[in-house]
Amino acid sequence: MVYLALVATVLSLVFWVYVLFDVIGSESERVRLLPKTAWAVIVLLLPKIGPAAWFLLGRPPRDRKPVEGPMGSSSPFPEYDHPGRARASTAEEDEAFLRQCRERAEEQRARARELQAREERERLERRRGQREEGLEQGERGADEDPTEPAP
């Protein structure tokens, strides 16, 4: 019998804490009958009656999300089911959007090819310049007498 009283006390305490957090976490505009702070005071001061009154009279109604059937969403592409997503209203608009995307991708590819070609030209010019410098230094070195000090 003592265990039953202990279990009931623990369950009552857990329910009271849950309801207190539920009151605090609720939106003030949606709480029914009394202001949110009044409900918090009632739940705090009346630990047995307050939570029951909150559930019966004050708790805001929960929005029920529609339960989908076993087939899932009606769209074959669930990423399109997001509310507020911009969608093409006609097939022509959809094609125009896709064409614009393809054109933009081609422009980006062309710019990338130009950039790579420019970098390659610069790299080749640097190598050519380094080779020419090496040849000039080699020619100077061959013309000079190694026994004479450099000026």
Side-chain angles (χ1 to χ4, degrees), residues 63-121:
D63 293 332
R64 300 286 178 176
K65 295 182 179 177
V67 178
E68 296 178 358
M71 297 297 290
S73 65
S74 60
S75 171
F77 304 102
E79 61 269 16
Y80 292 139
D81 292 337
H82 300 291
R85 181 186 167 275
R87 294 183 182 172
S89 58
T90 63
E92 292 81 25
E93 287 179 3
D94 198 27
E95 277 300 317
F97 173 74
L98 292 174
R99 185 174 38 259
Q100 181 184 9
C101 288
R102 284 190 290 267
E103 289 170 358
R104 191 172 65 204
E106 284 301 320
E107 289 173 9
Q108 291 172 348
R109 288 186 196 112
R111 277 195 304 243
R113 284 191 294 264
E114 286 177 15
L115 184 62
Q116 285 178 339
R118 186 180 322 133
E119 289 174 353
E120 187 64 29
R121 280 192 305 267

Side-chain angles (χ1 to χ4, degrees), residues 1-50:
M1 192 68 170
V2 174
Y3 294 115
L4 185 62
L6 182 64
V7 168
T9 303
V10 169
L11 287 176
S12 174
L13 180 67
V14 168
F15 181 64
W16 179 72
V17 170
Y18 171 76
V19 169
L20 186 61
F21 278 97
D22 191 36
V23 169
I24 293 169
S26 296
E27 296 177 20
S28 298
E29 301 83 33
R30 299 189 65 209
V31 174
R32 297 181 295 166
L33 197 62
L34 295 173
K36 183 175 164 179
T37 52
W39 279 114
V41 170
I42 290 171
V43 169
L44 278 172
L45 296 180
L46 303 171
K48 302 281 188 215
I49 300 169

Side-chain angles (χ1 to χ4, degrees), residues 137-149:
Q137 288 177 357
E139 289 173 1
R140 267 190 253 141
D143 291 340
E144 296 175 358
D145 186 15
T147 58
E148 291 182 38

